[in-house]
Amino acid sequence: MLGFQLLNGLTFAALLFVVASGFTLVFGLLRIVNLAHGALYLLGGYVAYEVGGRSGSFAAGVVAAMVAVALAGLALDRGLLRFVKGQDLRQVLLTVGVGLVLNDLFLVIWGGDAFTVPTPEALQGAAVVMGVFYPKYRLFVLLAGVAIFVLLWLVMNRTRYGALIRAGVDDAEMLSATGVDQGRLFVITFMLGSALAGLGGAMGGAFLSLYPGADAEILVFSLAVVIIGGRGSLEGAAIGALLIGLLNTFGQVWFPELSYFVVFGPMALLLAFRPYGLFGRAA
Amino acid sequence: MRAVFILAGLVALASMPLLLPSYQLGIASEILIFSVLAMSVNLLAGYAGRTPLCHGAIFGTSTYVVIIAAAAGVPVWAACLLGVAAAGGLSVVFGIIAVRTSGVYFLLLTLALGLIIWGICLRWTGVTGGENGLRGDLRQGWLADSQRLYWLILVVGAVLTFAMWRLVRSPFGLTLRAIKDSPSRMAALGHDVPAHLFAAFVASGLFAGAAGALYALFNDFVSPTTVALPQSVEGLLMAIVGGVGNILGGLVGAFVLIALEQFVSAYTERWLSVLGLTAIAIMLFAPQGLLGLLQRKSQ
């Protein structure tokens, strides 16, 4: 039983990491708190549901979700956020507005029913891990989460693009003074962050269901992950995701109605000592 | 001269129950309640330079407590005080966590804290009734009459508004405004910046709680929607529409947004879309609010 719950916590953490890493990248480099991130997650889920269901291919659904949400991110960045560049409070409220509109739009298109993204046959059924029967698909989510962490870590630490992002997180002004084309870097990062939200929606939509309000739930958890980990920190997001994922799972088992206290109590306590999170610095 | 205007305004507001049919009177009551919420947001956003996104949650916590306490047999007036006290207690916790940050990080933190309250109200079914919410039993006896209720809201709202107006004009309010302009300078001058921000946060939370208690009397029903994010966004938008840093602007903002909601709801169910588009439009074209827009046009 304990092993089962542990795996539940770890798979949820993997999903949270994917969604929160996109959020923290954008927050870290562009200083944009994108509160439409939850809506982008839900959009990814719905697109994966439609494309995956019609083509019969889970992979096609995932790719379509990432592309569609990256394009939505591009439209959001170029179409709206561009006009309030550098004014963070206006940006935040703008993305809140976008999130509300998108949610309402989803309600019109997909209604209030819950959907699940269909999984491929190879990932259906259960496998035996650590002596417990466990759904194969959730194990796949766990592995995918780890793979994406490794991939992002390599990009951030071993490529020129990653070095530019890290430099931008530390000191955006200095970076632009060295002659780097920030505009392009920002657009690419915003699209990458959005694509990660879309990927999360496709992954999560197959084992948590998609419904109006799912975006707010995932947004709360992602915010907590980013707040714990610190702005723009990949490692912080991973640690935060593990913490929140495990606390949430065990909290739901032991104190079903009060799980929110179990999850967010430690976050509040941490913030009392480190207001900018584990790896974060003031923006 | 200003005193005459304010007096005329109050007389006009007080005569509403004699002029308006009961449905429109309900809307007027709602405007008065939400203008108090908008003013409490403005206290922080406009004077302390800290924009919060948790005031819907503080407001709604008070509403929940009033309805739960009254259902447990507490007299209505005492239940209202309990609601305000709960909002104050919540603000103390939020304030301790949030006041050390500023700018967008402050907004992010208060947003997360507010969402936690929403999650708790949604999941703690045994106490909050979960998604179905709780129906109160407050509108009895003296309060059953909507005209009397309106006058009660008006009197309490006017007193609260006066209190906030005095607060921002007091030495404390002036210090807050100086902190908004330059926290480091005020710290260097020997002012305790975190303590001032904390006090402002708690005061603002108490006012939001008072608005929430009035809302409990008015609505007699509470559900997670009352503590959800759109509520906080609406409160903040009202403050911004009325003009950040202008306490009485809250009344204008509440009037504009609620009138818009009523108007839109008559034609379509897509109020959230309209709210979202309104937020986008205000951020793009009128971040200083309607009054700011008018001033800019006239220059």
Side-chain angles (χ1 to χ4, degrees), chain B residues 288-299:
Chain B
Q288 310 301 324
L290 287 183
L291 297 177
L293 193 68
L294 291 177
Q295 277 169 4
R296 215 173 48 189
K297 280 269 149 62
S298 67
Q299 274 168 10

Side-chain angles (χ1 to χ4, degrees), chain A residues 24-31 164-165 168-169 172 185-186 189 231:
Chain A
T24 205
L25 269 181
V26 171
F27 183 26
L29 182 69
L30 285 75
R31 308 286 197 276
L164 290 179
I165 291 191
V169 170
L185 184 68
F186 279 17
T189 307
R231 185 178 65 85

Side-chain angles (χ1 to χ4, degrees), chain B residues 45-66:
Chain B
Y47 293 87
R50 296 286 189 282
T51 312
L53 263 182
C54 60
H55 272 54
I58 296 175
F59 169 95
T61 300
S62 168
T63 313
Y64 264 108
V65 169
V66 172

